Amino acid sequence: MILFSKKNFISSFLTLILLCSGGALTFNSCAKDADEPYWPEDDNSTVVEDPSDKEDPNESEDPGNVEEPGDSEEPQTPGEPGNEEDPGNSEEPGDEADEYDPVPSNFRYPLSYVVLPEGTPEQLKEYTGFTLNFNKDNHTSNYVAWELLSSETTGSANRNNYDYWVDKSLEGCLDKDFAYSTYGYERGHMCPAADQKWSEAAMYDSMVMANMCPQLRSLNSGLWGSLENTERSWAKKYGAIWIIAGPLYADSDDLYIGRAKARVASSYFKAFLYLDEKNPKAIAFVFQNGSNPGNIKDYAMSIDDLEILTGYDFFSALPDSIENAVEATFDFASW
């Protein structure tokens, strides 16, 4: 944990964003067209390939997502993460500085950064439309995070124009022909392709194998797909929301599939944040990797509860007073 004054943190961050966007204040990448968002003020490659595993042509992939046609573009690799503390301004006696977890200095999306338990294998990479933190031991992501704008819920990019691909810059990223279906699983998108049809490059990136996790069809086509549809309706309603998704491994999750030994998670999570000056709010969901009876609201919980389950620290870039308030409670009906 590194201590920054809120003024210095936000000033440094906004300077970085202004440089990226050419002067237009935005929390999105330079490639995104977005309205100016609200930022709250606080009062107080070694690749493991498995060529013997061949994909079943009859496998059904993420049936809930349907997109339209486009082109491809190679993903970009960000620079090495760094970390600096500005000693220039010290807090006056009696002033309490907000505490921020270290976010890499060249990281464009602080709200997408998640602090993981110490010792967790992680490789952080920013793609066109999302950020991915990869775990080489599990051969899956630790989490995938992105901001979804209302304008990004439609578009002409079609996932059917792109094949799955291996990112050789990520150690342990599975080969595109790794046969999940051989073991009874589907390639479950953590960031759904339907959230990326606003851009051909974003759609191409969404097909990277690092964005896939082994999901049973009953989850992928069930409440996971329902929540994907719901998140797009929320983005249309609010203009912009932040989303973080990933596998949730229990200590007892010892099922590994294929010669590459891809680890199968027993559960999956999603966390949502809506920043509004008057009513910021957050909510999380956890589903079993299988059939989940009932509706998505039956699996809702607070971010604090999700942090207990995962050991992760979500949305740590928020001022503490905002973070503590939105993470402590949830109200599904208000969404």
Side-chain angles (χ1 to χ4, degrees):
M1 305 286 278
I2 296 180
L3 191 65
F4 293 86
S5 72
K6 175 169 66 68
K7 179 178 179 181
N8 287 340
F9 175 87
I10 295 179
S11 174
S12 299
F13 173 61
L14 293 184
T15 299
L16 175 62
I17 298 304
L18 286 168
L19 289 174
C20 177
S21 61
L25 176 60
T26 173
F27 283 105
N28 306 292
S29 76
C30 303
K32 287 189 176 184
D33 293 323
D35 296 331
E36 181 175 322
Y38 161 67
W39 178 260
E41 292 293 337
D42 190 8
D43 293 332
N44 312 2
S45 273
T46 302
V47 180
V48 180
E49 299 186 357
D50 197 353
S52 67
D53 287 333
K54 297 301 179 183
E55 190 66 32
D56 183 349
N58 297 319
E59 178 180 351
S60 173
E61 306 291 70
D62 286 356
N65 295 336
V66 180
E67 296 83 24
E68 290 84 4
D71 307 337
S72 65
E73 177 178 324
E74 290 297 328
Q76 298 180 347
T77 305
E80 292 297 321
N83 207 345
E84 290 185 8
E85 180 173 355
D86 182 0
N89 289 340
S90 58
E91 294 295 322
E92 293 294 328
D95 289 342
E96 293 184 2
D98 271 337
E99 190 173 292
Y100 294 90
D101 289 293
V103 176
S105 62
N106 65 340
F107 196 72
R108 292 181 295 172
Y109 315 106
L111 289 175
S112 293
Y113 187 75
V114 179
V115 181
L116 304 182
E118 185 176 356
T120 303
E122 55 177 319
Q123 302 169 76
L124 189 65
K125 184 163 183 178
E126 291 178 317
Y127 292 91
T128 303
F130 57 92
T131 298
L132 189 146
N133 189 302
F134 193 73
N135 188 311
K136 64 182 178 62
D137 291 349
N138 296 332
H139 302 287
T140 62
S141 61
N142 289 313
Y143 67 86
V144 181
W146 65 104
E147 183 188 27
L148 183 61
L149 307 179
S150 176
S151 60
E152 294 170 347
T153 58
T154 59
S156 61
N158 187 340
R159 63 173 286 177
N160 294 326
N161 292 337
Y162 302 100
D163 193 8
Y164 297 96
W165 59 280
V166 57
D167 187 342
K168 295 186 178 181
S169 72
L170 296 177
E171 181 182 0
C173 184
L174 295 172
D175 185 77
K176 70 183 184 71
D177 293 324
F178 184 81
Y180 279 129
S181 61
T182 301
Y183 309 98
Y185 296 93
E186 296 184 349
R187 292 164 166 161
H189 286 68
M190 294 300 95
C191 177
D195 286 8
Q196 303 299 307
K197 55 189 175 183
W198 54 276
S199 160
E200 301 296 346
M203 179 61 71
Y204 171 80
D205 281 356
S206 76
M207 302 300 286
V208 66
M209 287 295 290
N211 187 38
M212 310 300 153
C213 288
Q215 289 186 332
L216 290 171
R217 182 173 180 81
S218 54
L219 171 64
N220 196 16
S221 300
L223 292 191
W224 190 259
S226 296
L227 188 55
E228 290 177 339
N229 292 329
T230 299
E231 70 195 35
R232 288 186 282 276
S233 69
W234 286 345
K236 292 176 182 178
K237 177 180 178 180
Y238 295 117
I241 57 173
W242 292 90
I243 309 169
I244 304 175
L248 176 52
Y249 293 100
D251 292 340
S252 57
D253 288 348
D254 56 1
L255 176 60
Y256 296 81
I257 58 177
R259 290 194 302 174
K261 298 189 182 303
R263 192 179 184 190
V264 178
S266 56
S267 303
Y268 285 86
F269 72 84
K270 272 197 173 182
F272 296 87
L273 172 68
Y274 168 56
L275 279 181
D276 175 76
E277 186 173 4
K278 295 181 179 179
N279 185 35
K281 56 187 176 182
I283 195 169
F285 300 84
V286 171
F287 303 114
Q288 295 296 309
N289 190 5
S291 178
N292 294 269
N295 301 312
I296 58 174
K297 66 180 181 180
D298 300 323
Y299 301 88
M301 64 180 63
S302 70
I303 302 296
D304 279 349
D305 287 339
L306 179 61
E307 290 181 336
I308 293 173
L309 292 175
T310 60
Y312 295 179
D313 184 3
F314 297 92
F315 308 123
S316 61
L318 288 172
D320 282 348
S321 61
I322 304 294
E323 181 185 4
N324 292 340
V326 300
E327 292 188 354
T329 61
F330 72 96
D331 181 7
F332 181 84
S334 72
W335 284 81

